[in-house]
């Protein structure tokens, strides 16, 4: 384990460790407007949702290497409004282009080829090509420092949301495969939240807990931490009768026969089988398998 005190490295060097380890980070593609009416568009990965009643978002534009505030922050200080446009995979190269350091009053909508759409309750426009956009009113600015790399937390309340018709499931929820989001990693790396990168984790129940797992499971060479987490979330273990009946099934008898014929040590065989079942989220069947040997 490499241990580094943050104050022992130059700011930029520790920043690289920080953004390399903390990710993927969602991206706020922020459109703002100055008091003179000049539009700015810029992406920020120091961003997230921080509340839902009222709906609040946070982004943090950093002071640049020359010690100057970002144009986004200057505009927010002048007008108190921002639109957070959500970035998906089809926009990533244009979004990257908009992150270049243009002069203050250059419109990145034009430079990056995005279409301005008037907002309904705030002055900055939104991006027509974005799968979702949130019109926001800024409620609080919290500076974290004054040197290059310091941020200003912008706490903004969402007053209107806009959502593409193409991103919904039949039951009205946003489909992660259709919205096709991206996230920021370290250096020049991004991640696409689609395909094999997507997986589901069931909401936890008040199960038996990791501390109640048998020691033979906690020390297994085969079962992973994710496997044990699923087992520990199970609410109540199968009864002895259920285990006995399960052990009489053809599949389990075949595993036992293979073991008796010298294939493998029975507990290892059962742990392998449970690992396969847990990968398919068949937690009860995994427990029944594991409890065949106590």
């Amino acid at each position: 384990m490499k241990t580094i005190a943050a104050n022992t490295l130059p700011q930029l060097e520790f920043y690289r460790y920080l953004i390399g380890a903390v990710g993927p980070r969602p991206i706020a593609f922020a459109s703002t407007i100055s008091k003179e009416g000049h539009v700015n568009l810029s992406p920020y990965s120091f961003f997230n949702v921080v509340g839902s009643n009222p709906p609040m978002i946070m982004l943090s534009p950093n002071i640049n290497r020359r010690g100057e505030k970002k144009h986004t922050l200057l505009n927010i200080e002048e007008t108190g409004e921002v639109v957070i446009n959500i970035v998906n995979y089809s926009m990533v190269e244009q979004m990257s282009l908009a992150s270049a350091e243009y002069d203050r009053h250059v419109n990145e909508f034009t430079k990056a080829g995005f279409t301005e759409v008037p907002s309904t309750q705030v002055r900055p426009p939104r991006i027509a090509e974005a799968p979702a956009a949130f019109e926001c009113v800024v409620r609080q600015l919290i500076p974290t420092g004054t040197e290059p790399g310091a941020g200003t937390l912008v706490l903004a309340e969402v007053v209107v949301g806009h959502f593409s018709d193409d991103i919904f499931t039949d039951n009205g929820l946003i489909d992660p495969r259709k919205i096709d989001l991206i996230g920021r990693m370290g250096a020049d790396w991004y991640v696409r939240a689609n395909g094999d990168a997507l997986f589901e984790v069931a909401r936890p129940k008040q199960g038996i807990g990791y501390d109640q797992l048998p020691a033979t499971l906690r020390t297994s060479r085969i079962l992973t931490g994710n496997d044990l987490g699923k087992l520990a979330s199970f609410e109540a273990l199968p009864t002895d009768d259920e285990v006995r009946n399960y052990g009489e099934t053809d599949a389990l008898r075949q595993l036992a026969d293979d073991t008796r014929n010298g294939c493998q040590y029975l507990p290892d065989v059962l742990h392998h089988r449970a690992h396969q079942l847990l990968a398919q989220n068949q937690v009860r069947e995994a427990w029944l398998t594991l409890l065949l040997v106590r």
Side-chain angles (χ1 to χ4, degrees):
M1 176 66 69
K2 189 174 187 177
T3 301
I4 304 171
N7 61 4
T8 63
L9 292 180
Q11 172 265 325
L12 183 58
E13 192 171 340
F14 196 80
Y15 164 79
R16 289 173 179 151
Y17 286 115
L18 191 66
I19 64 170
V22 181
R25 301 182 304 281
I27 298 170
F29 207 2
S31 49
T32 56
I33 194 167
S34 70
K35 62 183 178 183
E36 295 91 1
H38 298 288
V39 171
N40 179 267
L41 180 65
S42 187
Y44 296 91
S45 68
F46 290 2
F47 156 68
N48 221 311
V49 174
V50 294
S52 60
N53 187 20
M56 299 287 292
I57 61 92
M58 178 281 294
L59 73 151
S60 181
N62 284 357
I63 295 173
N64 68 20
R65 60 185 179 277
R66 297 184 299 275
E68 302 166 341
K69 293 180 179 179
K70 296 291 184 70
H71 302 155
T72 298
L73 181 57
L74 293 173
N75 289 349
I76 285 173
E77 288 176 337
E78 290 181 358
T79 67
E81 296 176 339
V82 61
V83 175
I84 302 300
N85 303 276
I86 301 303
V87 182
N88 63 7
Y89 183 73
S90 66
M91 301 165 59
V92 64
E93 293 290 349
Q94 288 174 276
M95 177 219 66
S96 179
L97 181 58
S99 70
E101 292 192 15
Y102 295 104
D103 290 338
R104 168 91 192 266
H105 295 314
V106 171
N107 187 337
E108 288 85 358
F109 273 90
T110 302
K111 289 294 183 182
F114 289 113
T115 306
E116 293 186 32
V117 177
S119 295
T120 60
Q121 294 193 32
V122 298
R123 283 163 285 181
R126 60 185 176 90
I127 300 173
E129 293 81 3
F134 300 98
E135 300 181 23
C136 303
V137 175
V138 175
R139 298 303 186 199
Q140 195 172 2
L141 298 176
I142 307 173
T144 64
T146 58
E147 299 299 319
T152 296
L153 274 66
V154 178
L155 294 173
E157 180 178 348
V158 177
V159 292
V160 178
H162 305 274
F163 308 93
S164 169
D165 291 331
D166 298 330
I167 65 175
F168 291 99
T169 63
D170 292 339
N171 62 1
L173 299 176
I174 292 177
D175 188 328
R177 292 157 296 193
K178 291 180 178 179
I179 195 169
D180 201 9
L181 298 174
I182 62 167
R184 194 74 168 89
M185 305 293 284
D188 293 337
W189 289 96
Y190 290 79
V191 64
R192 184 179 186 180
N194 212 317
D196 291 340
L198 291 174
F199 61 93
E200 292 183 284
V201 177
R203 292 183 183 274
K205 300 175 182 177
Q206 191 171 346
I208 62 171
Y210 186 94
D211 59 324
Q212 296 301 309
L213 296 177
T216 54
L217 302 188
R218 296 199 303 268
T219 59
S220 172
R221 299 176 294 107
I222 297 162
L223 298 173
T224 67
N226 284 336
D227 291 336
L228 298 179
K230 289 180 181 179
L231 293 169
S233 69
F234 205 62
E235 295 172 290
L237 298 187
T239 65
D240 290 342
D241 287 342
E242 289 174 321
V243 174
R244 190 178 306 110
N245 292 335
Y246 187 70
E248 294 301 317
T249 63
D250 291 340
L252 269 297
R253 280 201 301 269
Q254 181 63 49
L255 286 176
D257 289 343
D258 289 346
T259 304
R260 282 192 291 270
N261 291 332
C263 290
Q264 291 185 62
Y265 177 54
L266 179 57
D268 283 355
V269 172
L270 298 180
H271 284 206
H272 276 293
R273 176 59 180 156
H275 175 69
Q276 295 168 348
L277 291 167
L278 290 166
Q280 302 165 20
N281 290 319
Q282 298 182 46
V283 182
R284 182 176 181 277
E285 289 78 3
W287 264 119
L288 288 166
T289 300
L290 292 167
L291 292 174
L292 289 170
V293 175
R294 300 201 187 211

